[in-house]
Amino acid sequence: GIQVEQSPPDLILQEGANSTLRCNFSDSVNNLQWFHQNPWGQLINLFYIPSGTKQNGRLSATTVATERYSLLYISSSQTTDSGVYFCAVERGGGSNYKLTFGKGTLLTVNP
Amino acid sequence: KAGVTQTPRYLIKTRGQQVTLSCSPISGHRSVSWYQQTPGQGLQFLFEYFSETQRNKGNFPGRFSGRQFSNSRSEMNVSTLELGDSALYLCASSLVGPFGEQYFGPGTRLTVT
């Protein structure tokens, strides 16, 4: 099956710093999503981004499907940004769609 | 608009028992997907339901099953529980799916002893 690799696995920042998280995938995909899981386990959809660039406040994401990677940018980080960031790729067709998650990047933002 | 709700939030079961988890999607969402999250395997897709039909399935044994009702509420059942089934079970809903922009519930934490 498709491989989804995220880097770095862990990241520690001071409040106010910027960061870039990367997601590489091994095959063509229908779509790609970024999620944030807060320390209480709640998963929040950040971006639904098969290609191109999207921005939402301090967060933005870019997917280059032809080169099989996506980047998540976090600017002016805040302590509430702490948690695990997952990318997930969607593949398939008909009745054989699958969503495969990477192992995540654990982000800690210190005050 | 109310979010995705899951019940119960926490559950402790004994090996060999069975368990049923419930998920109520956001009003108007017809696709419900289920996921298992463990420290070792990470987040894994279980199955997806749309209009009361299982439309897509991950790579889990037949002990894991589900169903969806006419109001889009979904249940997931695990029979003959094993210790390795201890996990956070998450459901997510989207307007049409199969995945789309998904909204997750808070999860059910299942512990098998």
Side-chain angles (χ1 to χ4, degrees), chain B residues 44-64:
Chain B
Q44 293 183 284
F45 168 65
L46 279 156
F47 29 65
E48 185 243 353
Y49 283 85
F50 182 85
S51 290
E52 303 178 62
T53 302
Q54 185 182 91
R55 200 162 56 165
N56 294 283
K57 191 177 189 303
N59 300 322
F60 277 80
R63 300 186 298 107
F64 292 82

Side-chain angles (χ1 to χ4, degrees), chain A residues 6-70:
Chain A
Q6 292 186 243
S7 59
D10 300 275
L11 186 59
I12 300 175
L13 300 174
Q14 284 300 120
E15 203 166 23
N18 302 329
S19 62
T20 301
L21 281 55
R22 188 177 179 103
C23 173
N24 291 334
F25 42 98
S26 61
D27 208 339
S28 60
V29 299
N30 299 344
N31 221 320
L32 183 142
Q33 303 187 48
W34 282 98
F35 298 92
H36 174 224
Q37 187 169 39
N38 66 24
W40 296 271
Q42 179 70 53
L43 265 170
I44 305 293
N45 186 297
L46 298 175
F47 294 102
Y48 183 70
I49 181 168
S51 63
T53 297
K54 289 188 177 180
Q55 179 149 11
N56 185 1
R58 297 180 296 102
L59 273 59
S60 65
T62 295
T63 296
V64 184
T66 52
E67 297 187 22
R68 299 179 184 165
Y69 74 90
S70 183

